[in-house]
């Protein structure tokens, strides 16, 4: 049970550093314009858990975020290091393993040959050092990616970058890259650095809005010299430059500071703005009140003065801090994406938040009323933070943008490392961007999104191998002769023998990918699928598979999972099992697409209804020793599989931008 709590602060007055400071102190009471009361918000926050005193319990948590009771372990034997980023007021930026009364697992003796294999070939990553999303702006923009955007023939990716090393640091700047096709990227000079009092501790997540006259305005979160999260305005120094090399920060930044009732470290990640019925620009910023995740709503005319609106766009109790919030329309009838300002008949709105508590990206479909400025989920039981996720693997701080060039909405995400920091330092880099995905409404189910790799990735395909109607008997493992197995695009269809489905007895089996025995756990109708990045002896393997249960009512439920438990013989990497249920309609075959790019694997089931991103670090199943197998570990189901497998060429990467415009 939670007590109703109001967080109060003295008005925040920024400390200027010489000429970089504002002309006048900015107080939350003014917000650069009229602000309406937040008193109503505290009703939504509920009651603070009597068990706040057991919060220490969460200092010792497992890698999946579950609390671990430390009462059975003597304190002197416990080893714990606070993850990077938490004390600075952002999500965890280092992979965390459970430490229960013992030293951390010994770091595996990685050598340069194995570490070199881990670097991707067609996923974006900078030449070296740390990167993360949550600040992507794909003008695209991305921390949250900082933001994505298409401008004068170029896609722009701005991302959070540590120029000093392969771990997250306090001087995060904005890296910058540009592309003609979202696949081949040119690295550009750093776009913004920590050179002002209002962002001296980090240039974090932002979003770009393109105005009707073609101007670009960028709002981004800065961490001040007092580690207060504020919102700042920036714009291109030369709007005629299609590469947007130089950026100018508004001299009167910050334009927004935390309002009363909001903690100084819980106010970040502004969205792309959209037009309101009154003709003003509207955007949201993520925050929390006690344990309630919220989205604050602001209106502006010029992006310099803002009005905090009464009410919240949405709030969900118990979900904690909402990072990297995103809000966008999606068509119920068409196949094209929609500009962020579109609303009306045939349109639903997607509300998305990255939960700081468990570091997963959740979304929900619903209806947006622009007059009341309220969004209502279609299904409250599947609300933001308690229902659907973009991805059930390693996928966080995502952001979408509207690609006006191809009339589509594109999703990007930060894919973190799940090995040790020591390994990252040895290899000299950490984190990659996921393959950009198109987002569509699933017209067949009417209850979820479809995510699919952008069509441009198909241009990297070569050397196609086809397998048709392969029968996989119970307990069989079938090698697939496809050559090298580190860079692949795999599409597969699976059919379960109808007699098997009818013969299997109904049961009350409750299945969950995460808490199962993975691909080794046998049931009547699963698991079956593919073993990727496997060595010849299967001492290392990453199964991506389906598992079907038959309920007492005779209905079938299908689960889509990725098992990391045997992905590597290394002891200092993630070994979790990921996945969720996937909707399969009557008459549909089971389908999967898998993009394998060295240490990252992205899997899409049923046209993208359920997705899983994996980070794996094999020590043997690399280079020429990386193989692919089909397997059927079900006890009663005969499986037929058909596959197309392409080798994937590497994407082009350049770091010389002077000739790009020619």
């Amino acid at each position: 049970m939670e007590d109703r709590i109001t967080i109060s602060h003295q008005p925040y007055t920024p400390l200027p550093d010489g000429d970089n400071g504002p002309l006048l102190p900015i107080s939350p009471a003014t917000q650069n314009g009229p602000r309406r009361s937040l008193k109503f918000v505290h009703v939504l926050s509920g009651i603070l858990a009597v068990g706040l005193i057991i919060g220490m319990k969460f200092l010792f948590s497992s890698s999946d975020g579950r609390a671990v009771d430390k009462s059975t372990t003597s304190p002197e034997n416990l080893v714990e290091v606070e993850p990077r980023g938490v004390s600075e007021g952002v999500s965890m930026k280092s992979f965390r393993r459970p430490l229960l009364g013992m030293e951390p697992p010994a770091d595996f003796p990685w050598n340069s040959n194995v570490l070199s294999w881990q670097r991707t070939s067609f996923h974006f990553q900078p030449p070296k050092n740390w990167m993360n999303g949550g600040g992507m702006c794909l003008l695209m923009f991305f921390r949250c990616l900082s933001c994505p955007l298409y401008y004068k023939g170029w896609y722009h990716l701005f991302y959070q970058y540590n120029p000093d090393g392969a771990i997250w640091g306090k001087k995060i700047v904005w890296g910058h890259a540009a592309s003609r096709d979202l696949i081949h990227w040119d690295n550009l000079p750093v776009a913004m650095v920590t050179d002002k009092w209002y962002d001296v501790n980090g240039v974090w997540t932002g979003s770009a809005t393109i105005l009707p006259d073609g101007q670009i305005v960028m709002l981004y979160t800065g961490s001040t010299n007092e580690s207060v999260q504020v919102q700042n305005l920036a714009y291109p120094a030369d709007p005629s430059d299609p590469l947007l090399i130089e950026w100018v920060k508004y001299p009167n930044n910050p334009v927004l500071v935390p309002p009363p009732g909001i903690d100084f470290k819980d106010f970040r990640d502004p969205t792309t703005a959209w037009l309101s019925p009154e003709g003003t620009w509207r955007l949201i910023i993520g925050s929390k009140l006690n344990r309630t995740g919220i989205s604050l709503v602001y209106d502006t005319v010029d992006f310099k003065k803002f009005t905090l609106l009464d009410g919240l766009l949405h709030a969900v109790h118990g979900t904690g801090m909402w990072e990297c919030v995103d809000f966008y329309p999606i068509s119920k009838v068409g196949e094209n994406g929609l500009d962020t300002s579109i609303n009306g008949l045939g349109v639903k709105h997607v509300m998305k938040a990255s939960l700081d508590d468990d570091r997963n990206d959740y979304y929900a479909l619903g209806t947006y009323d622009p007059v009341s400025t309220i969004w209502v989920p279609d299904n409250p039981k599947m609300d933001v933070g308690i229902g659907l996720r973009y991805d059930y693997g390693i996928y966080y701080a995502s952001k979408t943008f509207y690609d006006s060039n191809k009339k589509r909405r594109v999703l990007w995400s930060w894919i973190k490392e799940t090995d040790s920091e020591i390994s990252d330092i040895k290899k000299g880099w950490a984190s990659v961007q996921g393959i950009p995905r198109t987002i569509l409404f699933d017209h067949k189910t009417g209850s979820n999104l479809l995510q699919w790799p952008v069509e441009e990735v198909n241009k990297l395909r070569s050397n196609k191998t086809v397998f048709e109607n392969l029968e996989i008997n119970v307990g069989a493992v079938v090698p697939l002769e496809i050559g090298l197995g580190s860079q692949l695009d795999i599409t597969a269809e699976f059919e379960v023998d109808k007699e098997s489905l009818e013969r299997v007895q109904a049961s009350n089996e409750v299945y969950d990918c995460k808490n199962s025995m993975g691909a080794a756990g046998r049931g009547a109708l699963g698991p079956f699928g593919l073993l990727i990045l496997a060595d010849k002896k299967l001492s290392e393997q990453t199964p991506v598979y389906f598992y079907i249960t038959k309920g007492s009512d005779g209905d079938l439920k299908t689960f889509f999972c990725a098992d990391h438990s045997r992905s590597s013989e290394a002891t200092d990497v993630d070994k979790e099992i990921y996945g969720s249920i996937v909707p399969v309609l009557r008459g549909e075959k089971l389908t999967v697409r898998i993009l394998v790019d060295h240490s990252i694997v992205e899997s899409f089931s049923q046209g993208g209804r359920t997705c899983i991103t994996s980070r794996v670090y094999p020590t043997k199943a690399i280079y020429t020793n990386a193989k692919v197998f089909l397997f059927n570990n079900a006890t009663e189901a005969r499986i037929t599989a058909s596959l197309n497998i392409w080798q994937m060429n590497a994407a082009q990467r350049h770091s010389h931008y002077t000739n790009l415009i020619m």
Side-chain angles (χ1 to χ4, degrees):
M1 181 172 292
E2 293 194 352
D3 299 321
R4 186 174 301 159
I5 284 185
T6 299
I7 305 174
S8 61
H9 301 291
Q10 296 298 317
Y12 168 58
T13 302
L15 300 178
D17 57 348
D19 295 336
N20 291 333
L23 298 179
L24 295 172
I26 299 177
S27 163
T30 63
Q31 289 291 298
N32 284 338
R35 181 190 58 77
R36 295 173 227 172
S37 172
L38 265 182
K39 182 178 179 181
F40 70 95
V41 173
H42 304 298
V43 177
L44 298 173
S45 63
I47 300 185
L48 180 62
V50 171
L52 274 178
I53 58 173
I54 68 171
M56 289 296 293
K57 172 180 179 181
F58 294 94
L59 290 177
F60 300 89
S61 64
S62 66
S63 59
D64 62 2
R66 292 175 298 172
V68 177
D69 189 349
K70 63 171 183 164
S71 60
T72 59
T73 309
S74 56
E76 63 271 17
N77 293 329
L78 286 168
V79 178
E80 181 65 28
V81 177
E82 186 175 50
R84 296 184 189 277
V86 174
S87 64
E88 288 80 6
V90 293
S91 63
M92 185 176 73
K93 295 297 185 292
S94 57
F95 180 60
R96 199 177 183 187
R97 299 185 303 276
L99 306 176
L100 296 178
M102 62 185 70
E103 294 293 331
D107 288 298
F108 186 81
W110 300 98
N111 60 56
S112 59
N113 185 54
V114 177
L115 293 176
S116 294
W117 176 89
Q118 294 177 10
R119 189 169 180 86
T120 65
S121 289
F122 56 88
H123 284 72
F124 175 80
Q125 59 184 124
K128 63 179 181 179
N129 295 344
W130 167 277
M131 76 168 297
N132 66 274
M136 291 189 215
C137 217
L138 261 175
L139 260 132
M140 303 177 323
F141 284 85
F142 297 91
R143 204 189 76 206
C144 295
L145 280 188
S146 281
C147 90
L149 179 150
Y150 183 78
Y151 187 71
K152 294 184 182 294
W154 290 88
Y155 296 99
H156 289 263
L157 170 60
F158 297 82
Y159 56 90
Q160 291 184 48
Y161 179 65
N162 181 4
D164 299 323
I167 58 176
W168 188 84
K170 294 185 178 181
K171 297 294 183 180
I172 293 296
V173 302
W174 267 22
H176 184 192
S179 172
R180 293 285 194 183
D181 60 5
L182 293 174
I183 301 298
H184 304 289
W185 290 91
D186 294 282
N187 294 296
L188 302 177
V190 166
M192 285 198 286
V193 298
T194 55
D195 59 354
K196 303 294 183 182
W197 68 268
Y198 50 78
D199 60 14
V200 69
N201 280 317
V203 179
W204 291 350
T205 300
S207 291
T209 301
I210 301 181
L211 305 183
D213 61 1
Q215 291 186 69
I216 299 172
V217 291
M218 180 85 74
L219 290 176
Y220 71 93
T221 299
S223 181
T224 74
N225 52 351
E226 295 180 330
S227 295
V228 177
Q229 294 172 7
V230 297
Q231 312 311 316
N232 305 304
L233 173 64
Y235 40 85
D238 180 7
S240 67
D241 175 15
L243 294 180
L244 300 173
I245 298 297
E246 296 183 2
W247 289 79
V248 175
K249 298 177 183 179
Y250 177 55
N252 290 327
N253 279 333
V255 294
L256 281 171
V257 299
I262 297 300
D263 191 84
F264 292 161
K265 292 185 177 181
D266 296 332
F267 183 67
R268 55 187 180 267
D269 309 340
T271 64
T272 295
W274 67 93
L275 284 170
S276 72
E278 295 78 25
T280 59
W281 290 99
R282 181 167 293 168
L283 58 90
I284 59 174
I285 295 174
S287 188
K288 70 173 181 178
L289 280 171
N290 301 325
R291 295 289 307 126
T292 297
I294 65 173
S295 49
L296 301 165
V297 188
Y298 288 89
D299 273 7
T300 182
V301 174
D302 57 7
F303 292 87
K304 299 173 183 177
K305 295 182 179 180
F306 291 80
T307 299
L308 175 61
L309 302 189
D310 284 336
L312 300 167
L313 181 69
H314 196 53
V316 180
H317 177 70
T319 56
M321 177 65 193
W322 282 11
E323 295 192 299
C324 306
V325 288
D326 202 5
F327 186 67
Y328 57 90
I330 194 161
S331 175
K332 294 192 298 182
V333 294
E335 297 296 329
N336 289 335
L338 299 177
D339 179 84
T340 308
S341 295
I342 296 296
N343 197 6
L345 295 176
V347 174
K348 284 190 175 293
H349 273 77
V350 178
M351 181 75 219
K352 172 265 171 182
S354 299
L355 297 196
D356 192 12
D357 284 4
D358 69 6
R359 294 167 302 283
N360 291 310
D361 283 11
Y362 292 84
Y363 78 88
L365 300 173
T367 301
Y368 167 58
D369 182 351
V371 177
S372 64
T373 319
I374 293 175
W375 175 88
V376 178
D378 289 346
N379 181 358
K381 294 182 179 179
M382 300 295 285
D383 208 341
V384 179
I386 60 175
L388 297 171
R389 284 164 49 182
Y390 277 156
D391 192 293
Y392 292 87
I394 311 300
Y395 198 86
Y396 193 64
S398 61
K399 188 174 186 63
T400 67
F401 76 104
Y402 175 64
D403 179 2
S404 60
N405 180 43
K406 292 200 170 184
K407 304 296 186 293
R408 60 186 176 180
R409 184 156 291 273
V410 179
L411 170 70
W412 276 65
S413 182
W414 169 51
I415 314 300
K416 68 180 180 181
E417 302 296 322
T418 57
D419 60 353
S420 69
E421 283 192 345
I422 292 176
S423 299
D424 297 340
I425 293 170
K426 285 181 179 179
K427 65 190 180 189
W429 58 270
S431 305
V432 304
Q433 294 303 329
I435 287 293
R437 306 173 180 181
T438 56
I439 293 281
L440 289 173
F441 178 70
D442 189 342
H443 300 290
K444 293 182 179 179
T445 66
S447 59
N448 56 269
L449 298 176
L450 296 174
Q451 304 169 60
W452 201 246
V454 292
E455 61 184 3
E456 289 88 340
V457 76
N458 298 350
K459 296 178 181 179
L460 299 176
R461 289 171 168 175
S462 66
N463 300 329
K464 179 180 179 181
T465 304
V466 178
F467 300 91
E468 293 184 344
N469 300 319
L470 298 180
E471 293 187 2
I472 318 169
N473 293 323
V474 169
V477 177
V478 180
L480 299 177
E481 299 299 330
I482 50 94
L484 301 178
S486 297
Q487 294 172 211
L488 301 173
D489 187 351
I490 303 171
T491 62
E493 290 184 346
F494 295 92
E495 286 189 273
V496 182
D497 176 59
K498 291 183 179 180
E499 292 184 4
S500 301
L501 292 174
E502 295 173 356
R503 183 175 60 251
V504 169
Q505 294 294 316
S507 70
N508 292 316
E509 178 184 8
V510 177
Y511 190 80
D512 173 46
C513 297
K514 187 176 186 63
N515 297 310
S516 70
M517 295 176 61
R522 305 189 70 180
L525 299 174
F528 58 88
L530 288 147
L531 306 178
I532 56 176
L533 296 175
D535 67 329
K536 187 175 182 180
K537 295 182 178 180
L538 300 181
S539 61
E540 291 184 334
Q541 55 179 278
T542 300
V544 178
Y545 61 91
F546 293 98
Y547 190 103
I548 302 173
T549 63
K550 189 174 184 178
S552 56
D553 55 3
D555 288 344
L556 301 175
K557 289 185 179 179
T558 304
F559 296 83
F560 182 57
C561 315
D563 181 357
H564 298 183
S565 64
R566 289 170 290 172
S567 62
S568 175
E569 292 191 351
T571 56
D572 57 351
V573 302
D574 173 41
K575 297 290 183 72
E576 295 291 327
I577 302 168
Y578 297 91
S580 182
I581 195 168
V582 57
V584 180
L585 304 184
R586 186 177 300 276
E588 288 184 340
K589 296 180 180 180
L590 299 179
T591 63
V592 62
R593 182 178 182 182
I594 305 174
L595 295 175
V596 182
D597 189 7
H598 297 262
S599 60
I600 180 172
V601 178
E602 297 190 64
S603 304
F604 307 83
S605 175
Q606 301 308 112
R609 288 178 188 150
T610 299
C611 308
I612 306 172
T613 298
S614 303
R615 293 306 308 273
V616 292
Y617 306 90
T619 63
K620 296 179 178 178
I622 59 178
Y623 297 112
T624 58
N625 295 321
K627 311 293 182 182
V628 178
F629 298 81
L630 285 168
F631 80 98
N632 176 12
N633 208 24
T635 59
E636 299 186 45
R638 293 201 310 272
I639 307 297
T640 301
S642 296
L643 305 93
N644 295 317
I645 302 180
W646 292 266
Q647 297 290 329
M648 293 291 278
N649 294 320
Q652 298 174 13
R653 300 283 185 265
H654 301 108
S655 297
H656 306 287
Y657 68 92
T658 54
N659 297 323
L660 294 182
I661 303 178
M662 299 176 62

